[in-house]
Amino acid sequence: MGVWGLRPQRGPGAEPLAFSVIRSASLKLAAIYGILFAVSAFALVLFLWWTTTGLLDQQVEAAIHADAQGLSERWEEGGVPALVLTIQERLAENVDDDAIYLLADALHHRIAGNLERWPANVVTPSTFYELDVARAGMRSTAEVYRYDLPGGFRLLVGRDVKGRTQIKRLLRGTLLYSGILVAVLALVGGLVMRNLFRRMVADVSSTAAAIARGELQRRVRRSGRGDEFDAMAEAINTMLDRIAKLMDGVRQVSNSIAHDLRTPIARARARLEDAARNSATEAELRAAIDRAMADLDAVTAVFQALMRIAEIEAGSRRSAFADVDLGPLLADLAELYSALAEDAGLSLDLHVPDTLPVWADRDLIQQAVANLLDNAIKFSPPGGTVTLSAETAERGVRIGVADQGPGIPEADRARATERFFRGEQARSTPGSGLGLALVQAVATLHDGALVLEDAHPGLCVVLSLHTADMKPASSVPHEPDIALVAQDHGT
Amino acid sequence: MNTGLKAALRMFCAICLVVPAFPAATARGEEYPPAVILTDTVEYCDHLQHLIGDRAARTAEAHRLFNEGRRMCDHGEIRAGIARLRQALIMVRARPAQAPRP
């Protein structure tokens, strides 16, 4: 079957056409619609049928019982003669011409009433019967009730229900024709639904097929009506844009890895080759090997940084989240990097409260702030000041690292956190272009944010995190993470 | 075909089979000859005329209905004639004999 089942492929391995049609989603949708519509309409008509005919039946039965009640009283008052007289009077005054009476003895011999003889099928007392009767040569239908009287006498009281029968017949005809109409409407409606469904998925299907062929720029068309189909098309297009962006990112990272690692590896190889050919002494040879090892260590560091970022982005470190006090942690870092800053001719200012609780992975925060301080020291001119600050903000905690270096042009700031991105002014500075990418990954893992601001002069990098009492749902360890940690410990 | 669709199809077929059976909700005596109604006959027409008798003159309307019913019975319109005679009978029975027509 083709994509979305729209274009069945005919080939040696393809399904027979009948099967593919039966399994078609659009046909199922049409069938379900048609059946639901037909069942609903039938249920409604049947309800009308039952209520209407039921009401008519109830009226007839009530009239018969009321009539019989009166006759019963006359029977008690005067026996057979009184009953005969009453029957005759009621028949004589029956303007509606629908009353039926028959009083018979134990042998079913007629005593009074307007039925010629006792109907052979009326055998059970206290039971309603529907009889065929002949009235002035015309066939009609009557509903009668049999009452058994003391002394073996039997009484039939009934009504001519030809009118009711005609209404029932009319309703039955209406039911039949409305059933046919409903079936036709269900069929037409089903076909309309099917075509609508097919048209809806046709563009999605063709887009998916085009992307499978390699036309990655294809997108699902929007009708512009702003309906659910447009919403779906927009969601699919957003997904495709995201996939395209990720693929671009992967391509760019691959290219960057190839480019950035080729240089130190080539340099190490050249040094080793030169040492092998030209070193006169063992000391020169060892020095060349040491330099080559340093180059290779840099390569290894790049790989480690990449793997670290991948690990953070995978979210596998969420199990290490805990309440962390940033105050002492940042103070320790400032103390550690103040020596480095001093060596670079810089001063490191610290503006951090004593206590600053956050919900975070301590090691990752430490590494992220260390990266920021490292960058700030690296890019600040001698005599400048690097400032490490932290404060409680409205929606969490802000950690800021500001320098007085060249900063990052606004046009480059959006890309500054991409892997291997290095601005024009950073090309002459040692580094792999992975530091800010790691900080960004840490911020994302913590549901936080990383913002690059202009410090006039220099750059201020702000890392926002959640406070300990505002734990984001995604930071709470969940089962897969725990399972993974347990597995790691077990191996 | 999934289970839900099969169930819906079964329900639809069941309704189609059951619907034609609804008119036969009560047992009918089709195999028996029809019972004859005796109050649709010329004899009953005569019986009602006899019951009304001279009392038809008590009211003008009863008199008119009586004559009309009798004429219809004579012309073979038995049920319509009987209906008028019944109306006339009800009228004369409702009118006391002591109150003659003005």
Side-chain angles (χ1 to χ4, degrees), chain A residues 225-256:
Chain A
R225 290 189 294 267
D227 54 12
E228 289 85 350
F229 300 149
D230 269 4
M232 184 186 72
E234 194 171 337
I236 291 173
N237 288 343
T238 305
M239 177 189 73
L240 292 174
D241 290 344
R242 174 75 177 145
I243 290 171
K245 191 177 175 187
L246 288 173
M247 288 180 67
D248 283 345
V250 168
R251 195 178 299 118
Q252 185 191 344
V253 168
S254 304
N255 293 339
S256 299

PDB file of all heavy atoms in Angstrom, chain A residues 225-256:
ATOM      1  N   ARG A 225      -7.898  28.328   5.826  1.00  0.00           N
ATOM      2  CA  ARG A 225      -9.181  28.425   6.529  1.00  0.00           C
ATOM      3  C   ARG A 225      -9.003  28.476   8.044  1.00  0.00           C
ATOM      4  O   ARG A 225      -9.945  28.762   8.765  1.00  0.00           O
ATOM      5  CB  ARG A 225     -10.073  27.236   6.168  1.00  0.00           C
ATOM      6  CG  ARG A 225     -10.585  27.269   4.740  1.00  0.00           C
ATOM      7  CD  ARG A 225     -11.635  26.203   4.514  1.00  0.00           C
ATOM      8  NE  ARG A 225     -11.077  24.863   4.619  1.00  0.00           N
ATOM      9  CZ  ARG A 225     -10.624  24.167   3.589  1.00  0.00           C
ATOM     10  NH1 ARG A 225     -10.674  24.687   2.375  1.00  0.00           N
ATOM     11  NH2 ARG A 225     -10.129  22.968   3.736  1.00  0.00           N
ATOM     12  N   GLY A 226      -7.826  28.122   8.499  1.00  0.00           N
ATOM     13  CA  GLY A 226      -7.579  28.170   9.936  1.00  0.00           C
ATOM     14  C   GLY A 226      -8.268  27.065  10.708  1.00  0.00           C
ATOM     15  O   GLY A 226      -8.512  27.193  11.908  1.00  0.00           O
ATOM     16  N   ASP A 227      -8.606  25.967  10.041  1.00  0.00           N
ATOM     17  CA  ASP A 227      -9.293  24.866  10.718  1.00  0.00           C
ATOM     18  C   ASP A 227      -8.278  23.862  11.274  1.00  0.00           C
ATOM     19  O   ASP A 227      -7.069  24.120  11.287  1.00  0.00           O
ATOM     20  CB  ASP A 227     -10.276  24.178   9.755  1.00  0.00           C
ATOM     21  CG  ASP A 227      -9.593  23.739   8.476  1.00  0.00           C
ATOM     22  OD1 ASP A 227      -8.340  23.758   8.453  1.00  0.00           O
ATOM     23  OD2 ASP A 227     -10.293  23.372   7.520  1.00  0.00           O
ATOM     24  N   GLU A 228      -8.809  22.697  11.711  1.00  0.00           N
ATOM     25  CA  GLU A 228      -7.941  21.695  12.321  1.00  0.00           C
ATOM     26  C   GLU A 228      -6.907  21.170  11.337  1.00  0.00           C
ATOM     27  O   GLU A 228      -5.780  20.838  11.718  1.00  0.00           O
ATOM     28  CB  GLU A 228      -8.778  20.522  12.851  1.00  0.00           C
ATOM     29  CG  GLU A 228      -9.604  20.835  14.077  1.00  0.00           C
ATOM     30  CD  GLU A 228     -10.931  21.460  13.734  1.00  0.00           C
ATOM     31  OE1 GLU A 228     -11.139  21.825  12.553  1.00  0.00           O
ATOM     32  OE2 GLU A 228     -11.775  21.616  14.640  1.00  0.00           O
ATOM     33  N   PHE A 229      -7.292  21.090  10.058  1.00  0.00           N
ATOM     34  CA  PHE A 229      -6.350  20.590   9.052  1.00  0.00           C
ATOM     35  C   PHE A 229      -5.174  21.571   8.905  1.00  0.00           C
ATOM     36  O   PHE A 229      -4.018  21.152   8.749  1.00  0.00           O
ATOM     37  CB  PHE A 229      -7.050  20.400   7.710  1.00  0.00           C
ATOM     38  CG  PHE A 229      -8.186  19.430   7.767  1.00  0.00           C
ATOM     39  CD1 PHE A 229      -9.280  19.561   6.936  1.00  0.00           C
ATOM     40  CD2 PHE A 229      -8.163  18.376   8.664  1.00  0.00           C
ATOM     41  CE1 PHE A 229     -10.337  18.665   6.993  1.00  0.00           C
ATOM     42  CE2 PHE A 229      -9.209  17.478   8.739  1.00  0.00           C
ATOM     43  CZ  PHE A 229     -10.290  17.625   7.906  1.00  0.00           C
ATOM     44  N   ASP A 230      -5.490  22.859   8.953  1.00  0.00           N
ATOM     45  CA  ASP A 230      -4.426  23.854   8.883  1.00  0.00           C
ATOM     46  C   ASP A 230      -3.521  23.737  10.102  1.00  0.00           C
ATOM     47  O   ASP A 230      -2.301  23.874   9.994  1.00  0.00           O
ATOM     48  CB  ASP A 230      -5.039  25.254   8.819  1.00  0.00           C
ATOM     49  CG  ASP A 230      -5.266  25.694   7.382  1.00  0.00           C
ATOM     50  OD1 ASP A 230      -5.007  24.874   6.477  1.00  0.00           O
ATOM     51  OD2 ASP A 230      -5.721  26.828   7.168  1.00  0.00           O
ATOM     52  N   ALA A 231      -4.142  23.509  11.262  1.00  0.00           N
ATOM     53  CA  ALA A 231      -3.346  23.359  12.491  1.00  0.00           C
ATOM     54  C   ALA A 231      -2.421  22.153  12.373  1.00  0.00           C
ATOM     55  O   ALA A 231      -1.252  22.200  12.764  1.00  0.00           O
ATOM     56  CB  ALA A 231      -4.272  23.214  13.694  1.00  0.00           C
ATOM     57  N   MET A 232      -2.971  21.064  11.798  1.00  0.00           N
ATOM     58  CA  MET A 232      -2.147  19.865  11.630  1.00  0.00           C
ATOM     59  C   MET A 232      -1.014  20.146  10.647  1.00  0.00           C
ATOM     60  O   MET A 232       0.142  19.762  10.886  1.00  0.00           O
ATOM     61  CB  MET A 232      -3.016  18.712  11.128  1.00  0.00           C
ATOM     62  CG  MET A 232      -2.261  17.405  11.022  1.00  0.00           C
ATOM     63  SD  MET A 232      -3.249  16.122  10.286  1.00  0.00           S
ATOM     64  CE  MET A 232      -3.298  16.654   8.596  1.00  0.00           C
ATOM     65  N   ALA A 233      -1.328  20.823   9.526  1.00  0.00           N
ATOM     66  CA  ALA A 233      -0.303  21.146   8.530  1.00  0.00           C
ATOM     67  C   ALA A 233       0.784  22.005   9.159  1.00  0.00           C
ATOM     68  O   ALA A 233       1.984  21.782   8.925  1.00  0.00           O
ATOM     69  CB  ALA A 233      -0.942  21.866   7.352  1.00  0.00           C
ATOM     70  N   GLU A 234       0.361  22.949  10.001  1.00  0.00           N
ATOM     71  CA  GLU A 234       1.339  23.821  10.641  1.00  0.00           C
ATOM     72  C   GLU A 234       2.236  23.029  11.586  1.00  0.00           C
ATOM     73  O   GLU A 234       3.454  23.235  11.630  1.00  0.00           O
ATOM     74  CB  GLU A 234       0.592  24.918  11.402  1.00  0.00           C
ATOM     75  CG  GLU A 234       1.505  26.057  11.806  1.00  0.00           C
ATOM     76  CD  GLU A 234       0.717  27.240  12.354  1.00  0.00           C
ATOM     77  OE1 GLU A 234      -0.475  27.351  12.012  1.00  0.00           O
ATOM     78  OE2 GLU A 234       1.295  28.021  13.100  1.00  0.00           O
ATOM     79  N   ALA A 235       1.599  22.101  12.326  1.00  0.00           N
ATOM     80  CA  ALA A 235       2.380  21.278  13.262  1.00  0.00           C
ATOM     81  C   ALA A 235       3.385  20.414  12.502  1.00  0.00           C
ATOM     82  O   ALA A 235       4.551  20.286  12.905  1.00  0.00           O
ATOM     83  CB  ALA A 235       1.447  20.405  14.094  1.00  0.00           C
ATOM     84  N   ILE A 236       2.932  19.834  11.382  1.00  0.00           N
ATOM     85  CA  ILE A 236       3.845  18.992  10.591  1.00  0.00           C
ATOM     86  C   ILE A 236       4.973  19.837  10.023  1.00  0.00           C
ATOM     87  O   ILE A 236       6.149  19.442  10.057  1.00  0.00           O
ATOM     88  CB  ILE A 236       3.056  18.282   9.468  1.00  0.00           C
ATOM     89  CG1 ILE A 236       2.112  17.242  10.071  1.00  0.00           C
ATOM     90  CG2 ILE A 236       4.002  17.623   8.480  1.00  0.00           C
ATOM     91  CD1 ILE A 236       1.172  16.622   9.072  1.00  0.00           C
ATOM     92  N   ASN A 237       4.624  21.022   9.513  1.00  0.00           N
ATOM     93  CA  ASN A 237       5.660  21.889   8.938  1.00  0.00           C
ATOM     94  C   ASN A 237       6.664  22.337   9.999  1.00  0.00           C
ATOM     95  O   ASN A 237       7.863  22.395   9.741  1.00  0.00           O
ATOM     96  CB  ASN A 237       5.011  23.110   8.284  1.00  0.00           C
ATOM     97  CG  ASN A 237       4.298  22.729   7.001  1.00  0.00           C
ATOM     98  OD1 ASN A 237       4.547  21.662   6.451  1.00  0.00           O
ATOM     99  ND2 ASN A 237       3.403  23.564   6.542  1.00  0.00           N
ATOM    100  N   THR A 238       6.150  22.637  11.210  1.00  0.00           N
ATOM    101  CA  THR A 238       7.057  23.009  12.303  1.00  0.00           C
ATOM    102  C   THR A 238       8.001  21.860  12.632  1.00  0.00           C
ATOM    103  O   THR A 238       9.202  22.053  12.842  1.00  0.00           O
ATOM    104  CB  THR A 238       6.230  23.394  13.554  1.00  0.00           C
ATOM    105  OG1 THR A 238       5.313  24.414  13.191  1.00  0.00           O
ATOM    106  CG2 THR A 238       7.125  23.879  14.673  1.00  0.00           C
ATOM    107  N   MET A 239       7.418  20.646  12.629  1.00  0.00           N
ATOM    108  CA  MET A 239       8.240  19.466  12.903  1.00  0.00           C
ATOM    109  C   MET A 239       9.319  19.315  11.827  1.00  0.00           C
ATOM    110  O   MET A 239      10.492  19.064  12.131  1.00  0.00           O
ATOM    111  CB  MET A 239       7.342  18.230  12.943  1.00  0.00           C
ATOM    112  CG  MET A 239       8.080  16.931  13.147  1.00  0.00           C
ATOM    113  SD  MET A 239       6.996  15.520  12.911  1.00  0.00           S
ATOM    114  CE  MET A 239       6.803  15.538  11.145  1.00  0.00           C
ATOM    115  N   LEU A 240       8.916  19.494  10.559  1.00  0.00           N
ATOM    116  CA  LEU A 240       9.874  19.344   9.462  1.00  0.00           C
ATOM    117  C   LEU A 240      10.952  20.430   9.539  1.00  0.00           C
ATOM    118  O   LEU A 240      12.135  20.148   9.291  1.00  0.00           O
ATOM    119  CB  LEU A 240       9.135  19.420   8.121  1.00  0.00           C
ATOM    120  CG  LEU A 240       8.192  18.248   7.831  1.00  0.00           C
ATOM    121  CD1 LEU A 240       7.406  18.503   6.556  1.00  0.00           C
ATOM    122  CD2 LEU A 240       8.977  16.949   7.711  1.00  0.00           C
ATOM    123  N   ASP A 241      10.550  21.654   9.903  1.00  0.00           N
ATOM    124  CA  ASP A 241      11.542  22.726  10.062  1.00  0.00           C
ATOM    125  C   ASP A 241      12.543  22.381  11.144  1.00  0.00           C
ATOM    126  O   ASP A 241      13.749  22.594  10.996  1.00  0.00           O
ATOM    127  CB  ASP A 241      10.833  24.046  10.415  1.00  0.00           C
ATOM    128  CG  ASP A 241      10.050  24.597   9.239  1.00  0.00           C
ATOM    129  OD1 ASP A 241      10.300  24.149   8.105  1.00  0.00           O
ATOM    130  OD2 ASP A 241       9.172  25.455   9.468  1.00  0.00           O
ATOM    131  N   ARG A 242      12.005  21.841  12.244  1.00  0.00           N
ATOM    132  CA  ARG A 242      12.870  21.472  13.369  1.00  0.00           C
ATOM    133  C   ARG A 242      13.843  20.367  12.958  1.00  0.00           C
ATOM    134  O   ARG A 242      15.028  20.408  13.281  1.00  0.00           O
ATOM    135  CB  ARG A 242      11.989  21.023  14.541  1.00  0.00           C
ATOM    136  CG  ARG A 242      12.744  20.486  15.726  1.00  0.00           C
ATOM    137  CD  ARG A 242      13.403  21.592  16.517  1.00  0.00           C
ATOM    138  NE  ARG A 242      14.079  21.080  17.694  1.00  0.00           N
ATOM    139  CZ  ARG A 242      15.213  21.573  18.171  1.00  0.00           C
ATOM    140  NH1 ARG A 242      15.788  22.581  17.573  1.00  0.00           N
ATOM    141  NH2 ARG A 242      15.751  21.070  19.253  1.00  0.00           N
ATOM    142  N   ILE A 243      13.301  19.387  12.229  1.00  0.00           N
ATOM    143  CA  ILE A 243      14.165  18.285  11.778  1.00  0.00           C
ATOM    144  C   ILE A 243      15.253  18.823  10.854  1.00  0.00           C
ATOM    145  O   ILE A 243      16.434  18.460  10.963  1.00  0.00           O
ATOM    146  CB  ILE A 243      13.321  17.198  11.069  1.00  0.00           C
ATOM    147  CG1 ILE A 243      12.438  16.480  12.097  1.00  0.00           C
ATOM    148  CG2 ILE A 243      14.214  16.206  10.345  1.00  0.00           C
ATOM    149  CD1 ILE A 243      11.429  15.559  11.475  1.00  0.00           C
ATOM    150  N   ALA A 244      14.842  19.740   9.951  1.00  0.00           N
ATOM    151  CA  ALA A 244      15.815  20.314   9.021  1.00  0.00           C
ATOM    152  C   ALA A 244      16.901  21.076   9.781  1.00  0.00           C
ATOM    153  O   ALA A 244      18.094  20.983   9.460  1.00  0.00           O
ATOM    154  CB  ALA A 244      15.105  21.232   8.042  1.00  0.00           C
ATOM    155  N   LYS A 245      16.455  21.806  10.822  1.00  0.00           N
ATOM    156  CA  LYS A 245      17.422  22.578  11.591  1.00  0.00           C
ATOM    157  C   LYS A 245      18.394  21.649  12.325  1.00  0.00           C
ATOM    158  O   LYS A 245      19.610  21.899  12.375  1.00  0.00           O
ATOM    159  CB  LYS A 245      16.672  23.469  12.594  1.00  0.00           C
ATOM    160  CG  LYS A 245      17.549  24.492  13.267  1.00  0.00           C
ATOM    161  CD  LYS A 245      16.738  25.377  14.197  1.00  0.00           C
ATOM    162  CE  LYS A 245      17.669  26.320  14.956  1.00  0.00           C
ATOM    163  NZ  LYS A 245      16.950  27.073  15.984  1.00  0.00           N
ATOM    164  N   LEU A 246      17.837  20.578  12.878  1.00  0.00           N
ATOM    165  CA  LEU A 246      18.690  19.616  13.575  1.00  0.00           C
ATOM    166  C   LEU A 246      19.674  18.966  12.622  1.00  0.00           C
ATOM    167  O   LEU A 246      20.853  18.765  12.948  1.00  0.00           O
ATOM    168  CB  LEU A 246      17.820  18.547  14.253  1.00  0.00           C
ATOM    169  CG  LEU A 246      17.041  19.018  15.477  1.00  0.00           C
ATOM    170  CD1 LEU A 246      16.097  17.931  15.949  1.00  0.00           C
ATOM    171  CD2 LEU A 246      17.991  19.406  16.600  1.00  0.00           C
ATOM    172  N   MET A 247      19.174  18.651  11.416  1.00  0.00           N
ATOM    173  CA  MET A 247      20.068  18.034  10.432  1.00  0.00           C
ATOM    174  C   MET A 247      21.169  18.999  10.027  1.00  0.00           C
ATOM    175  O   MET A 247      22.330  18.606   9.856  1.00  0.00           O
ATOM    176  CB  MET A 247      19.269  17.588   9.212  1.00  0.00           C
ATOM    177  CG  MET A 247      18.410  16.367   9.511  1.00  0.00           C
ATOM    178  SD  MET A 247      17.484  15.848   8.086  1.00  0.00           S
ATOM    179  CE  MET A 247      18.768  15.298   6.998  1.00  0.00           C
ATOM    180  N   ASP A 248      20.803  20.273   9.886  1.00  0.00           N
ATOM    181  CA  ASP A 248      21.822  21.284   9.580  1.00  0.00           C
ATOM    182  C   ASP A 248      22.849  21.351  10.699  1.00  0.00           C
ATOM    183  O   ASP A 248      24.055  21.471  10.457  1.00  0.00           O
ATOM    184  CB  ASP A 248      21.153  22.655   9.411  1.00  0.00           C
ATOM    185  CG  ASP A 248      20.459  22.762   8.067  1.00  0.00           C
ATOM    186  OD1 ASP A 248      20.743  21.913   7.199  1.00  0.00           O
ATOM    187  OD2 ASP A 248      19.628  23.671   7.900  1.00  0.00           O
ATOM    188  N   GLY A 249      22.321  21.296  11.935  1.00  0.00           N
ATOM    189  CA  GLY A 249      23.213  21.343  13.084  1.00  0.00           C
ATOM    190  C   GLY A 249      24.175  20.166  13.093  1.00  0.00           C
ATOM    191  O   GLY A 249      25.384  20.330  13.329  1.00  0.00           O
ATOM    192  N   VAL A 250      23.651  18.983  12.817  1.00  0.00           N
ATOM    193  CA  VAL A 250      24.490  17.781  12.794  1.00  0.00           C
ATOM    194  C   VAL A 250      25.555  17.914  11.708  1.00  0.00           C
ATOM    195  O   VAL A 250      26.740  17.598  11.916  1.00  0.00           O
ATOM    196  CB  VAL A 250      23.609  16.529  12.540  1.00  0.00           C
ATOM    197  CG1 VAL A 250      24.473  15.320  12.232  1.00  0.00           C
ATOM    198  CG2 VAL A 250      22.731  16.267  13.749  1.00  0.00           C
ATOM    199  N   ARG A 251      25.098  18.443  10.557  1.00  0.00           N
ATOM    200  CA  ARG A 251      26.040  18.607   9.437  1.00  0.00           C
ATOM    201  C   ARG A 251      27.135  19.609   9.815  1.00  0.00           C
ATOM    202  O   ARG A 251      28.321  19.385   9.561  1.00  0.00           O
ATOM    203  CB  ARG A 251      25.265  19.080   8.206  1.00  0.00           C
ATOM    204  CG  ARG A 251      26.040  18.939   6.910  1.00  0.00           C
ATOM    205  CD  ARG A 251      25.210  19.385   5.728  1.00  0.00           C
ATOM    206  NE  ARG A 251      24.003  18.608   5.559  1.00  0.00           N
ATOM    207  CZ  ARG A 251      22.770  19.099   5.619  1.00  0.00           C
ATOM    208  NH1 ARG A 251      22.573  20.366   5.817  1.00  0.00           N
ATOM    209  NH2 ARG A 251      21.722  18.312   5.454  1.00  0.00           N
ATOM    210  N   GLN A 252      26.686  20.683  10.458  1.00  0.00           N
ATOM    211  CA  GLN A 252      27.650  21.716  10.821  1.00  0.00           C
ATOM    212  C   GLN A 252      28.641  21.202  11.860  1.00  0.00           C
ATOM    213  O   GLN A 252      29.843  21.442  11.771  1.00  0.00           O
ATOM    214  CB  GLN A 252      26.879  22.911  11.374  1.00  0.00           C
ATOM    215  CG  GLN A 252      27.775  24.105  11.671  1.00  0.00           C
ATOM    216  CD  GLN A 252      27.023  25.164  12.463  1.00  0.00           C
ATOM    217  OE1 GLN A 252      25.809  25.139  12.527  1.00  0.00           O
ATOM    218  NE2 GLN A 252      27.755  26.073  13.062  1.00  0.00           N
ATOM    219  N   VAL A 253      28.113  20.460  12.840  1.00  0.00           N
ATOM    220  CA  VAL A 253      28.999  19.919  13.873  1.00  0.00           C
ATOM    221  C   VAL A 253      29.992  18.936  13.261  1.00  0.00           C
ATOM    222  O   VAL A 253      31.184  18.939  13.588  1.00  0.00           O
ATOM    223  CB  VAL A 253      28.162  19.248  14.980  1.00  0.00           C
ATOM    224  CG1 VAL A 253      29.044  18.425  15.903  1.00  0.00           C
ATOM    225  CG2 VAL A 253      27.423  20.306  15.783  1.00  0.00           C
ATOM    226  N   SER A 254      29.497  18.116  12.333  1.00  0.00           N
ATOM    227  CA  SER A 254      30.381  17.139  11.683  1.00  0.00           C
ATOM    228  C   SER A 254      31.501  17.872  10.946  1.00  0.00           C
ATOM    229  O   SER A 254      32.680  17.495  11.044  1.00  0.00           O
ATOM    230  CB  SER A 254      29.597  16.284  10.690  1.00  0.00           C
ATOM    231  OG  SER A 254      28.534  15.670  11.342  1.00  0.00           O
ATOM    232  N   ASN A 255      31.093  18.911  10.219  1.00  0.00           N
ATOM    233  CA  ASN A 255      32.100  19.684   9.482  1.00  0.00           C
ATOM    234  C   ASN A 255      33.087  20.338  10.435  1.00  0.00           C
ATOM    235  O   ASN A 255      34.303  20.348  10.188  1.00  0.00           O
ATOM    236  CB  ASN A 255      31.421  20.766   8.624  1.00  0.00           C
ATOM    237  CG  ASN A 255      30.604  20.147   7.518  1.00  0.00           C
ATOM    238  OD1 ASN A 255      30.824  18.999   7.152  1.00  0.00           O
ATOM    239  ND2 ASN A 255      29.643  20.888   6.992  1.00  0.00           N
ATOM    240  N   SER A 256      32.528  20.872  11.547  1.00  0.00           N
ATOM    241  CA  SER A 256      33.397  21.558  12.504  1.00  0.00           C
ATOM    242  C   SER A 256      34.374  20.591  13.148  1.00  0.00           C
ATOM    243  O   SER A 256      35.555  20.923  13.342  1.00  0.00           O
ATOM    244  CB  SER A 256      32.547  22.236  13.579  1.00  0.00           C
ATOM    245  OG  SER A 256      31.710  23.194  12.996  1.00  0.00           O
TER     246      SER A 256
END
